[in-house]
Amino acid sequence: MPDLTISILTAVIGFFLSFLVDFFKKWRSSVYVGIFAAIFGIGWIVYVFLEQGFLEATIIFSILLFSFFSFPVPERSGAQSQEIIGKLKEQGAREIVLSKNKERILLDFLFAGLFMGIAVLYFLFGPNSPITLVLLYSFVSLVAGLMKRIRLFRSLRFFYAEQEEALYAVSFIETKKYPLKELSEASVQTRPDVLQLFPLFSLFSPHTDYTTSVGKTWKLSFSGEKIYLTPDPSESMDFVLREERKKLEEIEVKPFYHQSNWKRLLGKGYFAATVKGVGAYAALLTLFTFMGISPLVTAMVILLFWIFNLWISDRVLKMALDMKEISDPQLLPIIEKVFSRAGLSHVTIYVTESVEYNGLAAGANIGRSLVALTSETLKLPLEAIEGILAHEAIHVKKRDVLTGQLLRFVLIGWIVIGIFFIHETYPNLLKNHQILVFFVLWILIFLLPAFQSLITQWMEVRADHLGATLLDGGNVQMAKSLSILSEHQDQASEKAIGYHVVPEEEQEAEEKDERLSSLERDSWFFRFLEFQFMSHPPMYWRVHSLRTTETGWNIGKIKLWWNSRFQESLPNWKKKSTDRHSSSNSSDGSV
């Protein structure tokens, strides 16, 4: 590992160079600034290489790149934003004055500071280990996020264009246009729910946080995106109150420190420190190092802590994602039918608020498992929801969540043990053959997701085909469920992208760039990436395999997936890469 001081200084240099390039981009001298930034960055890497060695220089190089591209470079300058605002005013758009006070931005600093403080303590007192690098990347990400929030807080302005019936959000960071015809739901909260809005407290990406005060907050749900804003109390928002919505009642939201939120705060904080990051492990390692406890005892305690976290993962996720048990009378009979056929009687089905179409299974074993669907997924046809539930039921029945966690632990453990063994047995190898060791190390890191993909894809294909046996419509219904899910995911994604207001030349380029549907067979390179490194097979293949085989799970299905995994990863010289098939998509641990 490189020296900590040099690592932190590298992150600062990356931020500074990115700021420098962005600051001078509007002048002709920007090309010279870019050249200077490149030369300075290369010089810094060479300096680290001469001082610390090849491996350390490589890590520093990755830190420099990460910090450079993590800097929140605005899409528009102040002059460009003013030009957009001027055009909106010329068209008669009405500005919605926002309520702004520093208390809101200080809340973001408070939560980010807590996790950044853990990293700082580890940097000061913890051992120099791979956790240092993980914490440094998290630290840089949090700093970049705070800088983006500050820019947004200072420059954000909202406009309502009545002729277009659209809401505009204009800032130095980005400009977005939200057509009111895409508005599906509106509500008002007494204050922003920071436990829901802070990025580390959520698993999905359900919202865009435009809140600039701790006052009355409007929550507007558009197709593919949910936004939160805090207009001034004197502002009228009647343009979103159509006849069917009438007058909205305010939903009371207590401050995060209120007694009623203590349980949520604890659950979300624990989730952020153990699931989304390594803060809890870093704090434990720092404490044990400071107390002088032996590395063996420390390793055993951390292992037990990991097992404990796996055991309570269902409870942590339930609190962190604000899950609520599904009580819809139309869904309850479907849930009962699917899970009784799967032989599962102790699994509770929850809903979590999100504009994403997704579902997930969690828990270490059947007795402590849960299945959660997003609120948007519950808007799909009942037949499609039944297929998604059947897929997740198989994940629970086969203990796929536990298997996946153990697989990651074993793979990472073998890499760590191998490196430790080489370091202790062949110390001169690291010193005299740094380039060779570097390439071996990166090959192992590169192959790690490929090894994981072998198991996780097999579990996903099994969940599709065994899940079909729980449905009255078998493979046909499961294929239709995944197709419907995929189509809605694509539509929501396209809507969310379409809200961005981009320059005309970029808009023309985007129109020329044909986007393939998730139900279409992509070029061989993207098929290769999905089949070899992703947790799920490509979308088109999953549905195609269901539609072209009989309902059930057998060795033939495994062979089909195994052969396709390699055949579909190669260039197809006989057929065009635009061949069409069908399938579905999701994230790790979900449909």
Side-chain angles (χ1 to χ4, degrees), residues 522-567:
D522 212 332
S523 62
W524 77 268
F525 179 72
F526 291 102
R527 300 198 310 266
F528 166 76
L529 292 179
E530 286 188 275
F531 265 113
Q532 302 304 324
F533 297 100
M534 301 301 172
S535 60
H536 294 62
M539 305 172 188
Y540 74 90
W541 185 87
R542 292 174 64 186
V543 169
H544 180 69
S545 67
L546 286 163
R547 288 178 173 171
T548 56
T549 60
E550 298 294 328
T551 301
W553 179 247
N554 51 49
I555 191 66
K557 299 288 183 75
I558 299 176
K559 290 180 179 179
L560 174 64
W561 162 73
W562 181 261
N563 292 333
S564 298
R565 180 179 172 88
F566 293 98
Q567 291 175 0

Side-chain angles (χ1 to χ4, degrees), residues 230-246:
T230 50
D232 189 83
S234 62
E235 283 292 328
S236 171
M237 297 288 288
D238 290 341
F239 61 88
V240 301
L241 300 177
R242 298 178 182 177
E243 293 183 3
E244 63 269 20
R245 298 192 186 95
K246 299 181 180 179

Side-chain angles (χ1 to χ4, degrees), residues 500-519:
H500 287 266
V501 178
V502 298
E504 292 183 2
E505 59 273 15
E506 293 183 20
Q507 188 173 3
E508 292 176 1
E510 287 185 359
E511 290 175 355
K512 293 179 181 178
D513 184 21
E514 181 184 358
R515 291 191 183 93
L516 289 178
S517 162
S518 296
L519 302 179

Side-chain angles (χ1 to χ4, degrees), residues 11 24 79 137 173 191 213 218-219 277 296 308 313 333 374 419 442 469 487 518-519 521 528 568:
F24 285 97
Y137 280 118
I173 299 297
R191 63 189 301 123
S213 77
W218 283 74
K219 180 171 70 171
L296 180 60
F308 171 75
S313 60
T374 62
I419 294 173
W442 276 98
T469 65
E487 289 169 356
S518 296
L519 302 179
R521 186 170 181 258
F528 166 76
E568 288 291 283

Side-chain angles (χ1 to χ4, degrees), residues 14 27 36-37 44 52 65 94 107 112 122 148 157 285 327 348 358 391 394 397 401 406 413 488 497 514 531 563 590:
W27 292 296
F36 166 77
W44 178 252
Q52 297 198 1
L65 284 181
R94 174 173 70 87
L107 287 175
Y122 184 87
K148 180 179 179 179
R157 296 175 71 176
L285 189 56
S327 57
T348 308
N358 221 325
H391 176 100
I394 297 301
K397 186 178 180 65
V401 176
L406 291 175
H488 280 76
I497 294 173
E514 181 184 358
F531 265 113
N563 292 333
S590 56

